[in-house]
Amino acid sequence: MAKPRDRNPASKAALPISFETIQNDEIDAINLRRRRNGRGELPHARGGGTGAIEDRAVHETVGLALSGGGIRSAAVALGVLQALDERGTLKNVDYLSTVSGGGYMGSSLSATMSVTGGQFVYARGDIGHARDKPLASEVMDTPAVGHIRNYSNYLIPDGMRDVITAIAIVLRGLIANFFTVFPFVLLLAAITVQSNPNRSSLRVPDLFGFEHIDILGFDIPTLLPVQNFGLTLLLALAGLFGFFFWAIWRSVVHGGDESEFRGNATFIASIYLVVLAITAFFELQPFVIAGMFDIAEGGGLFSFLTRWVTTLAAIATPIAAVVTIFRQQFGEIIKKGEASSGILKQLAAIGSKAMVWIAGAALPLLIWVAFLYLCYWGIINDAAKAAPPAAADRGSISGQIQFDAAQEKFKGTLSGDIRFQPAANPAAPPVLPVAARQASKDLSAKACAYNDPPGSSAFEKYRAKGNVSGDHTPHWLLSLAVQLSDTAFGCTIRRPMAFLYICLAFLGWFFSLFLSPNANSLHRLYRDRLSKAFLFDPTDRLRQTIVRNQASIDQGREFRPLDNMKLSQISAPDAPYHLINAALNIQGSDYANRRGRNADFFLFSPRYVGSWATDYARTSDMESACPNLDLATAMAISGAAASSNMGSQSIKPLTPTLALLNVRLGYWLKNPKYAAGQGMHGLAGVTEKGRSLVNSLPGSFLWQEITGRLYENSDTVYLTDGGHIENLGIYELLRRRCRVIVVVDAEADENMHFGSFIKLQRYARIDLGIRIDMPWDRIRETTLAQMKAEATGQEASTPRVAAGPHTAIGTIDYGGDQKGYIFYIKSSLTGDETDYIRDYARRYREFPHETTGDQFFSEEQFEVYRALGFHMTYGALNGDHKIEVAAQKNLLTFKSQVSKELNAVRKALI
């Protein structure tokens, strides 16, 4: 056993928790249940000479893994659990490892067994009912099964009322994100307006409004007589010579022998390219805004870019809405196209990728358009087109002359009206000379340039000062800005829009300080719905008074909820040791991204919480540090499939859009590294002072999601669906070197490519040095034939009905002479299923692999998947079905070992 950890949070000598310590604590918990069930106790794990995972001995433990797949997987898992219990096998399970939808039923099993003293409440009869003999067929619903079946449509169990509630919660999250992001847009708009206060300054090369910048004795306007992109041009010319001299220097000094990677010159060149790109983007803004003025006056030579930006945003917005709603379906189309050789599926995948990229650009484009309009409304149009005269174009003069003969004088009167012709080319906006522009800026810099005319409103005072070129600004917005500046300064200022933007930005930033990362996401809604459906006390019905004529099917039949049951409250003597798998998103980490995974395996269990990247903390410490962490929260995190960052399944073009739209079921959890104040191992260990200051800024969690800069050493870490890294839940059982692993694979796999299992094989080989041999060819062939026959309805092509195989038994090579075995149950069809299963398959061609995006199951849909799970497992354990077995020389030893560890497999093998 490892030495106890230093509990002092300030101690810098605190030791990491070794995996050997974790597994030995788990074995202590497992032995409590083994002792109750009359099974032999397990010895503690002993590491090899290096203490590495691959040096440890195989443990005589049985693990049950329930895969992800939403409510579909939960229904199949329920049938499998019923069959395992019916054959007396469930009591032999030591570890229960769950992911996503498998975690729905796994968590329900752990909770109900904990409160009933180890009873399996989903079997026939009431709790404590003694069964005199095994059933040879499926079982009738118990009240607990009926409860879950009633909530198979768990997201909206009350129909339209729940839909409206969900919409309100989504809108709340959107508004919270708006107040987090938009202050920065307003601040940038205020800087742009202050730097370019007039339309005439949009066509002058400057730096944040400063035109007179001496470069070798020249001003920018003199040095670069261009209207736009002056600094970009200057930097590009400097870079042209810089790169040329770099080439000469490398040739003369080093002769091309110096390494190109991570050199100082290479680093400087990279920084230069980034600065050039940022400069070009900033100088693009005045160019586009000037185009907006041109469009307002009937067009212009350079307005094409402005029209293109707004048009593209208008086109991309509806595409973004469609892709966001059906993102999972688009992802499945892309996966199928990449895995298929068919031209149509490949074209569909290409089209889906294009739509995803367009959708990903839509929201950033809309934000950019909003920024442009904010700038456009705040800039004074000092070059507005003159209005044409209302009277005649030419002037006129008239008069009267009289002659006085006596006086010999002329006397008379002369009156006239003089008008001037407009300029020959009124469409061309005049550009003020530099001196005039500077005078305008000097005037604008004064808060009160004139005395306010008495007896006028603030807006009238503003107009009286000659600011009549704000007609392109919405009247209500300009009035608000003028009134605000008048209230703040006691007089109106020349640039009230910039002041308004700054005030609104500060106000939004201030209120965003009170926003917490999990309060306004969709996580809590999802967590509460799942908890209502799957976490309940089957021994305690709510004492409700049945109200006559009240339209509620749940009166008097609801169980007491277990919403607040802690992970540490899962009873070790009564339930298998539960491993709830999630994905730690660390897209910004070199540790994860050198392998392209973007994530690490994160674990919740009754005694420990954490991952290899963050290391582990005791569950009691985590529950003290995070009061909201409980079984329901861990279950929801494990099934948080919809997110902007999704580990190895992240759709990078959609990451900013999904984050801004609050499409987030993931959860921000305090880093286990800091749960009890201890430092962890060198892979990711940092001290308290070493953590990034970015994590303490308001809205930092949202910015990290938008940019994908997620790290394992942050104060809080972002967790999502365990299927975002491994969807079967086998990985953690392999780490514990279980002798026998029972796997329920109920993921959506229409083409029967066994994608998640193949990925697991790769992870096991790379990370753990473990090889797995699994014979699944017959399962694939029979299922694809049955699915095709049921979908086409062609009796002549219907394949022969077969009793299996739905299952296979593979081997685990732990290294050396250490072996283990996998009993693999795959959602499959062989033609011997019950009538209502085959009838459903005939009507729905994708069964039993319907999309995971469908989380609104009907009674029939839930039942066919549950019945299929029971049929596959019971038939295999009872000896009615064929089982594919991996070829081995020591087959007799194999049979004997499985018979000892998993008694229910005996009939299927002997």
Side-chain angles (χ1 to χ4, degrees):
M1 296 286 290
K3 295 181 179 179
R5 296 178 303 153
D6 188 345
R7 291 280 183 171
N8 182 7
S11 174
K12 295 183 179 180
L15 297 175
I17 304 175
S18 69
F19 189 80
E20 182 181 339
T21 300
I22 293 172
Q23 188 171 14
N24 285 335
D25 279 357
E26 294 172 354
I27 290 173
D28 288 339
I30 289 171
N31 281 336
L32 294 175
R33 186 163 180 264
R34 280 182 162 242
R35 196 178 304 136
R36 169 172 289 190
N37 292 331
R39 302 171 64 207
E41 295 187 26
L42 298 170
H44 279 174
R46 293 187 301 274
T50 63
I53 293 174
E54 61 270 17
D55 292 335
R56 295 198 317 274
V58 172
H59 256 256
E60 303 299 325
T61 50
V62 177
L64 172 61
L66 304 179
S67 78
I71 194 65
R72 180 193 64 248
S73 177
V76 174
L78 174 59
V80 171
L81 290 172
Q82 289 174 329
L84 291 175
D85 177 73
E86 197 63 38
R87 293 302 304 167
T89 304
L90 194 57
K91 70 177 185 297
N92 296 329
V93 174
D94 298 306
Y95 282 107
L96 174 64
S97 180
T98 63
V99 183
S100 191
Y104 303 170
M105 273 312 306
S107 298
S108 187
L109 180 71
S110 294
T112 54
M113 290 186 109
S114 295
V115 298
T116 61
Q119 293 290 331
F120 183 74
V121 300
Y122 306 110
R124 63 187 176 98
D126 295 329
I127 298 172
H129 174 74
R131 292 169 293 183
D132 53 357
K133 61 180 181 179
L135 280 177
S137 61
E138 297 177 75
V139 295
M140 183 181 69
D141 274 4
T142 66
V145 175
H147 175 88
I148 291 179
R149 195 185 301 279
N150 288 341
Y151 282 94
S152 59
N153 188 13
Y154 69 96
L155 287 177
I156 51 171
D158 291 333
M160 185 54 65
R161 183 175 66 180
D162 287 333
V163 172
I164 297 174
T165 300
I167 292 174
I169 293 172
V170 170
L171 288 176
R172 183 190 68 196
L174 284 173
I175 293 173
N177 284 359
F178 174 84
F179 277 96
T180 302
V181 173
F182 214 65
F184 294 91
V185 179
L186 287 167
L187 184 61
L188 290 175
I191 294 173
T192 304
V193 171
Q194 193 63 33
S195 303
N196 303 275
N198 305 306
R199 179 182 177 184
S200 57
S201 19
L202 293 172
R203 299 277 173 87
V204 177
D206 56 17
L207 182 63
F208 295 109
F210 296 97
E211 297 172 5
H212 295 283
I213 300 178
D214 292 333
I215 301 178
L216 300 178
F218 295 94
D219 286 342
I220 289 181
T222 306
L223 187 65
L224 299 170
V226 294
Q227 290 187 339
N228 294 100
F229 299 102
L231 289 177
T232 304
L233 178 59
L234 182 63
L235 284 175
L237 292 174
L240 178 66
F241 290 101
F243 275 88
F244 179 69
F245 284 115
W246 181 24
I248 295 176
W249 174 80
R250 180 169 174 79
S251 300
V252 173
V253 177
H254 296 285
D257 295 332
E258 186 187 27
S259 174
E260 291 278 18
F261 189 67
R262 301 296 188 189
N264 291 332
T266 307
F267 176 75
I268 295 173
S270 301
I271 295 296
Y272 160 78
L273 292 176
V274 173
V275 172
L276 179 65
I278 293 175
T279 304
F281 179 77
F282 274 109
E283 289 201 306
L284 177 65
Q285 312 311 310
F287 182 80
V288 177
I289 297 169
M292 297 177 72
F293 282 102
D294 292 343
I295 291 174
E297 294 182 352
L301 180 61
F302 299 106
S303 64
F304 69 92
L305 180 61
T306 306
R307 294 182 187 274
W308 176 80
V309 170
T310 54
T311 302
L312 185 58
I315 295 173
T317 300
I319 296 177
V322 172
V323 172
T324 301
I325 295 173
F326 301 103
R327 62 195 174 279
Q328 192 162 8
Q329 287 80 354
F330 277 99
E332 291 177 359
I333 291 173
I334 293 173
K335 289 180 181 178
K336 291 177 183 178
E338 291 175 344
S340 174
S341 58
I343 186 65
L344 292 180
K345 287 188 176 180
Q346 290 181 357
L347 290 175
I350 293 173
S352 297
K353 283 184 178 180
M355 293 187 69
V356 165
W357 277 99
I358 294 174
L363 199 55
L365 275 174
L366 287 176
I367 294 175
W368 188 21
V369 169
F371 162 78
L372 293 174
Y373 270 99
L374 288 172
C375 297
Y376 173 67
W377 291 334
I379 294 174
I380 293 296
N381 189 2
D382 60 350
K385 181 192 296 186
D393 290 337
R394 296 183 177 277
S396 61
I397 186 169
S398 60
Q400 180 180 2
I401 299 176
Q402 294 180 354
F403 178 73
D404 188 347
Q407 298 289 331
E408 295 183 353
K409 293 180 180 179
F410 292 97
K411 68 176 180 178
T413 59
L414 179 65
S415 63
D417 183 25
I418 301 175
R419 297 185 179 92
F420 296 95
Q421 282 281 83
N425 184 17
V431 178
L432 298 179
V434 174
R437 285 197 305 272
Q438 187 61 41
S440 176
K441 290 183 180 181
D442 293 340
L443 187 63
S444 302
K446 298 179 181 179
C448 301
Y450 307 97
N451 293 324
D452 293 337
S456 302
S457 67
F459 185 73
E460 290 172 343
K461 297 174 184 178
Y462 179 76
R463 302 280 289 190
K465 294 175 181 179
N467 297 305
V468 295
S469 300
D471 295 334
H472 60 288
T473 308
H475 184 274
W476 66 270
L477 188 62
L478 186 58
S479 298
L480 177 63
V482 171
Q483 185 64 48
L484 180 64
S485 65
D486 184 74
T487 303
F489 298 103
C491 56
T492 54
I493 59 178
R494 298 279 296 195
R495 301 291 176 261
M497 294 296 292
F499 180 67
L500 173 65
Y501 295 161
I502 292 174
C503 292
L504 292 178
F506 177 79
L507 191 65
W509 174 82
F510 174 77
F511 282 111
S512 69
L513 294 174
F514 299 96
L515 297 175
S516 61
N518 299 316
N520 296 291
S521 72
L522 298 178
H523 162 81
R524 187 70 193 190
L525 173 65
Y526 181 53
R527 178 247 186 226
D528 291 347
R529 294 296 190 219
L530 283 176
S531 178
K532 178 72 171 177
F534 293 97
L535 299 184
F536 55 90
D537 184 350
T539 66
D540 187 2
R541 293 186 185 274
L542 293 176
R543 299 295 183 260
Q544 297 176 339
T545 302
I546 298 179
V547 181
R548 187 175 182 179
N549 296 327
Q550 179 174 323
S552 175
I553 64 171
D554 293 323
Q555 292 187 72
R557 283 178 281 185
E558 286 285 350
F559 293 113
R560 180 176 65 87
L562 298 175
D563 282 359
N564 300 317
M565 183 177 185
K566 296 292 185 180
L567 284 163
S568 57
Q569 291 176 335
I570 297 176
S571 175
D574 299 318
Y577 192 85
H578 197 171
L579 309 174
I580 302 177
N581 296 273
L584 169 69
N585 284 263
I586 44 178
Q587 279 81 342
S589 169
D590 288 341
Y591 163 66
N593 288 334
R594 285 173 184 169
R595 298 182 178 183
R597 295 181 184 178
N598 295 324
D600 190 31
F601 303 90
F602 195 93
L603 183 69
F604 295 96
S605 74
R607 299 201 175 190
Y608 290 95
V609 172
S611 72
W612 186 248
T614 63
D615 220 323
Y616 297 86
R618 295 188 181 276
T619 301
S620 56
D621 291 338
M622 287 297 296
E623 289 173 344
S624 298
C626 310
N628 292 328
L629 178 59
D630 50 31
L631 178 59
T633 299
M635 172 179 62
I637 292 171
S638 179
S643 178
S644 54
N645 295 272
M646 299 183 291
S648 60
Q649 298 181 19
S650 297
I651 307 175
K652 291 186 178 181
L654 282 181
T655 294
T657 297
L658 294 178
L660 289 168
L661 293 179
N662 200 39
V663 181
R664 174 161 52 94
L665 294 177
Y667 193 82
W668 285 91
L669 182 73
K670 183 176 181 64
N671 195 325
K673 190 188 307 296
Y674 313 118
Q678 73 275 8
M680 295 298 178
H681 61 63
L683 250 177
V686 293
T687 62
E688 292 280 342
K689 294 181 180 179
R691 282 177 273 167
S692 174
L693 294 176
V694 175
N695 293 292
S696 61
L697 297 176
S700 62
F701 65 91
L702 180 59
W703 292 111
Q704 290 178 71
E705 288 185 45
I706 291 173
T707 60
R709 308 306 293 173
L710 302 168
Y711 300 94
E712 68 272 19
N713 59 354
S714 302
D715 283 344
T716 54
V717 290
Y718 187 58
L719 307 175
T720 57
D721 193 320
H724 292 160
I725 187 168
E726 198 268 299
N727 200 37
L728 297 180
I730 304 176
Y731 187 90
E732 293 294 341
L733 298 178
L734 292 175
R735 286 188 68 188
R736 286 152 178 80
R737 303 175 83 80
C738 295
R739 176 71 72 181
V740 176
I741 299 176
V742 181
V743 182
V744 181
D745 185 352
E747 72 166 354
D749 187 13
E750 181 185 357
N751 295 320
M752 297 294 284
H753 288 152
F754 298 81
S756 289
F757 199 93
I758 292 173
K759 181 189 291 186
L760 179 275
Q761 287 178 306
R762 185 174 78 248
Y763 287 163
R765 175 65 185 87
I766 295 172
D767 297 356
L768 308 176
I770 296 172
R771 291 183 175 90
I772 302 174
D773 180 19
M774 178 63 63
W776 53 47
D777 291 340
R778 287 283 304 280
I779 299 176
R780 181 176 188 273
E781 292 169 4
T782 55
T783 299
L784 289 178
Q786 288 292 335
M787 290 177 67
K788 181 178 179 181
E790 297 291 359
T792 58
Q794 299 175 1
E795 297 295 334
S797 63
T798 301
R800 181 175 60 86
V801 174
H806 296 283
T807 60
I809 296 180
T811 59
I812 308 171
D813 182 359
Y814 283 113
D817 59 351
Q818 301 188 82
K819 301 292 181 183
Y821 308 98
I822 288 187
F823 179 45
Y824 183 69
I825 305 168
K826 176 73 172 179
S827 291
S828 52
L829 298 173
T830 61
D832 67 333
E833 296 80 22
T834 61
D835 290 342
Y836 60 81
I837 294 178
R838 293 198 60 191
D839 177 69
Y840 187 88
R842 176 183 58 81
R843 289 181 286 123
Y844 299 93
R845 61 171 297 274
E846 292 185 346
F847 177 81
H849 299 288
E850 294 173 289
T851 174
T852 309
D854 181 7
Q855 294 293 291
F856 307 94
F857 270 31
S858 63
E859 178 186 279
E860 178 193 23
Q861 196 173 9
F862 186 88
E863 170 59 19
V864 294
Y865 280 102
R866 185 213 63 82
L868 178 63
F870 185 94
H871 168 79
M872 296 186 300
T873 309
Y874 191 87
L877 299 182
N878 202 45
D880 299 333
H881 293 170
K882 298 177 182 178
I883 301 177
E884 289 297 296
V885 181
Q888 283 211 6
K889 295 179 180 180
N890 56 341
L891 186 59
L892 293 178
T893 305
F894 168 59
K895 293 178 181 179
S896 174
Q897 182 62 50
V898 174
S899 175
K900 177 183 176 182
E901 293 299 331
L902 193 59
N903 186 49
V905 181
R906 179 174 53 84
K907 288 186 179 181
L909 299 178
I910 298 177

